[in-house]
């Protein structure tokens, strides 16, 4: 039997949160439905954050209702504060993610406080969520580079990963927010964190700005990571990470993993349909190599 790697689809949240134009709620719903049809079992369906900071996610409650998130343990939403958690609980979320960083400068821009302050803020939220039976993921952004303060040492990531794990996050997603690192630096961070947090609790969340995303995912999987975040069509970017482009594309990762002998439970053709839907229903063109190779348009 093939070994499994779980793909966490972040397109409906990370993929769309920074899009420059408004996106119809019906299109976000249509995208999630197509991703489910493709066999995606874990997905970020939105976030409960300040609509002033991230207007594209303001309709997350409506989206969750429409796609039946109450009944889907694999549907996840981001929350940044107590108000966001209240909204997630009211919507019957089964999984949430809290998010901080390995650099204070990025945390300040993204969530308005230092890393240490964010950990203090999240601890009671995680406790409340867990008491309500909600699974919690902890994100660490800027694991190798910060857009404001430069390179980040692997050892700077370790205490954040430990703190999130100790407060009750069942999974730590390592965010290479800028998409600048090459596999050597990714390997160094994973080795440093895996000395303190079990490998089966780590997820790889890589952006593809410099075209290193697939190589970096391959490296993470080679080291034993079995949960990989990706966005359909290669959409995405954080509004607080200037210059960084999309996430590594789900279809590139599924193609890679299947080719390397792993099972994902995802149908590549149906995933390409979901990518095509982004173009047809939202006017957002997929930028992934695999999409362009298999669905035309030539390579970018
Ligand atoms: P703040 O301005 O410091 O705090 O923001 P505030 O409490 O003064 O709130 C500002 C306004 O937002 C207020 O409205 C609040 O009511 C409202 P006003 O009084 O001015 O009219 N507000 C809310 N509204 C609805 N729902 C809420 C909520 N909270 C406040 N939950 C805050 C602090 C944390 C709220 C803000 O900084 C924020 O929302 N940040 C979220 C940023 C975000 O979502 N970033 C993208 C996700 S992270 C990412 O993409 C990286 C990742 O992919 C991994 C990687 O790639 O590295 C995960
Ligand atoms: Mg991201």
């Amino acid at each position: 039997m093939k070994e499994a790697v779980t793909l966490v689809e972040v397109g409906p949240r990370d993929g769309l949160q920074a899009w420059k134009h408004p996106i119809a709620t019906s299109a976000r719903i249509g995208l999630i439905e197509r991703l489910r049809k493709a066999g995606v079992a874990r997905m970020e369906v939105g976030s409960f954050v300040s609509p002033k900071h991230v207007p594209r996610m303001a309709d997350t409650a409506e989206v969750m209702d429409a796609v039946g998130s109450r009944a889907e343990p694999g549907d996840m939403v981001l929350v940044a504060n107590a108000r966001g958690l209240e909204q997630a609980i009211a919507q019957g979320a089964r999984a949430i993610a809290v998010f901080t960083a390995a650099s204070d400068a990025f945390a300040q821009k993204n969530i308005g406080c230092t890393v240490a302050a964010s950990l203090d803020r999240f601890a009671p939220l995680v406790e409340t969520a867990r008491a309500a039976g909600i699974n919690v993921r902890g994100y660490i952004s800027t694991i190798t580079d910060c857009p404001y303060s430069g390179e980040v040492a692997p050892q700077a990531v370790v205490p954040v990963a430990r703190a999130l794990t100790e407060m009750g996050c069942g999974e730590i997603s390592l965010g290479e927010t800028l998409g600048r690192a090459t596999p050597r630096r990714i390997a160094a961070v994973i080795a440093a964190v895996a000395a303190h947090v079990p490998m089966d609790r780590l997820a790889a969340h890589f952006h593809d700005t410099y075209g290193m995303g697939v190589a970096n995912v391959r490296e993470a999987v080679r080291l034993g990571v079995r949960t990989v975040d990706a966005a359909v069509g290669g959409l995405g970017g954080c509004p607080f990470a200037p210059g960084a482009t999309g996430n590594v594309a789900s279809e590139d990762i599924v193609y890679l993993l299947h080719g390397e002998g792993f099972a994902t439970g995802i149908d590549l053709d149906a995933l390409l349909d979901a990518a095509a839907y982004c173009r047809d229903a939202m006017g957002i063109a997929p930028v992934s190599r695999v999409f362009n190779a298999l669905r035309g348009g030539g390579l970018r």
Side-chain angles (χ1 to χ4, degrees):
M1 210 172 94
K2 288 183 178 171
E3 199 181 341
V5 172
T6 301
L7 184 131
V8 178
E9 172 60 53
V10 300
R13 191 277 307 173
D14 206 345
L16 299 179
Q17 68 183 3
W19 188 242
K20 44 193 180 296
H21 306 298
I23 299 163
T25 305
S26 59
R28 259 178 88 198
I29 294 166
L31 175 62
I32 292 169
E33 287 170 349
R34 279 159 183 79
L35 290 165
R36 281 216 213 294
K37 211 171 147 194
V40 171
R42 289 188 63 192
M43 190 165 10
E44 278 182 352
V45 293
S47 57
F48 288 115
V49 296
S50 164
K52 284 196 175 147
H53 291 76
V54 187
R56 296 291 161 264
M57 294 292 112
D59 55 356
T60 292
E62 211 178 325
V63 170
M64 287 179 79
D65 280 341
V67 301
S69 290
R70 281 174 197 276
E72 293 285 346
D75 281 9
M76 183 163 64
V77 281
L78 265 65
V79 308
N81 55 17
R83 188 159 159 201
L85 177 63
E86 275 166 34
Q87 291 169 292
I89 291 174
Q91 281 306 127
R94 309 276 297 271
I96 62 158
V98 292
F99 51 104
T100 184
S103 82
D104 278 330
F106 183 78
Q108 284 285 6
K109 295 273 186 196
N110 196 32
I111 50 175
C113 62
T114 62
V115 174
S118 74
L119 295 172
D120 289 344
R121 187 197 290 170
F122 293 150
L125 304 189
V126 175
E127 199 182 334
T128 306
R130 298 246 323 193
I134 296 172
N135 287 324
V136 187
R137 155 183 270 208
Y139 266 112
I140 308 174
S141 287
T142 62
I143 58 163
T144 60
D145 297 273
C146 169
Y148 310 105
S149 58
E151 276 199 19
V152 173
Q155 283 308 326
V157 184
V158 172
V160 189
R162 288 185 65 170
L164 289 169
T165 304
E166 278 159 21
M167 73 174 72
C169 294
E171 183 172 82
I172 305 297
S173 182
L174 298 171
E176 208 286 80
T177 318
L178 299 192
R180 267 187 209 162
T182 56
R184 182 180 55 84
R185 295 180 67 213
I186 292 294
V189 182
I190 291 174
V193 174
H196 301 272
V197 179
M199 193 68 91
D200 63 5
R201 287 187 173 212
L202 299 182
H205 178 106
F206 302 151
H207 286 256
D208 204 20
T209 318
Y210 286 73
M212 298 294 112
V214 169
N216 287 340
V217 168
R218 183 69 189 100
E219 182 67 358
V221 170
R222 188 183 71 77
L223 291 168
V225 173
R226 291 292 176 266
T227 304
V228 177
D229 300 354
V232 63
L235 313 178
C238 175
F240 307 98
T245 60
N247 294 81
V248 64
S250 304
E251 53 272 30
D252 289 359
I253 297 308
V254 167
Y255 183 86
L256 169 80
L257 292 170
H258 291 181
E260 295 298 300
F262 292 97
T264 64
I266 294 172
D267 180 285
L268 179 60
D269 203 46
L271 187 59
L272 293 170
D273 288 343
Y277 180 84
C278 296
R279 180 193 57 204
D280 300 340
M282 304 180 197
I284 305 178
V287 294
S288 78
R289 302 270 173 165
V290 168
F291 182 84
N292 284 327
L294 293 175
R295 292 288 173 101
L299 297 179
R300 70 186 146 170

